Amino acid sequence: MRQLILGFSLVAFSYSVSAAEHTVGQKNKEFTESSLTIKVGDTVHFRNDDSFFHNVFSLSDAKFFDLGSFPQGESKSVVFDQAGEIEVECAIHPTMKMKITVE
Ligand SMILES: [Cu+2]
């Protein structure tokens, strides 16, 4: 039992050390990255760099979310905890799309 707990805490430790942070802007009605490859456990910050509202959402199985609408200068974050391909969109501007690959 003690070995099990020790092993688990080691896994949790290496997981938190390897997790990275990424930032994707929303500028001129486009995501600043058209595609992004990250690792399981990484965080992506979506930041609105335009003077009007943007939204961020995904209907993908690997990560389903809706961050709502937010104004210039604000950012919202998502932790990607499952491997897969995620299509990220803006509900306000249907042409805004990007792809995140979680490995
Ligand atoms: Cu938008």
Side-chain angles (χ1 to χ4, degrees):
M1 187 59 185
R2 177 182 278 176
Q3 272 182 327
L4 185 68
I5 291 169
L6 181 65
F8 180 75
S9 58
L10 283 174
V11 167
F13 179 71
S14 58
Y15 178 79
S16 62
V17 164
S18 63
E21 314 248 330
H22 309 266
T23 299
V24 174
Q26 295 172 287
K27 182 85 182 154
N28 301 323
K29 290 191 188 179
E30 287 181 352
F31 289 101
T32 54
E33 315 274 345
S34 60
S35 65
L36 183 68
T37 300
I38 65 172
K39 293 196 158 45
V40 171
D42 285 2
T43 300
V44 177
H45 304 281
F46 295 95
R47 187 187 60 224
N48 184 350
D49 294 327
D50 274 327
S51 58
F52 39 83
F53 277 75
H54 284 298
N55 159 277
V56 184
F57 77 96
S58 157
L59 302 177
S60 303
D61 289 338
K63 193 71 189 176
F64 186 97
F65 61 88
D66 184 355
L67 303 181
S69 301
F70 48 99
Q72 184 173 34
E74 271 191 30
S75 68
K76 299 209 175 185
S77 306
V78 179
V79 177
F80 290 87
D81 45 16
Q82 199 181 316
E85 301 247 309
I86 295 120
E87 179 127 309
V88 179
E89 303 175 64
C90 169
I92 302 169
H93 308 104
T95 57
M96 289 180 66
K97 285 177 200 274
M98 71 164 297
K99 192 174 78 178
I100 295 180
T101 304
V102 184
E103 298 179 328

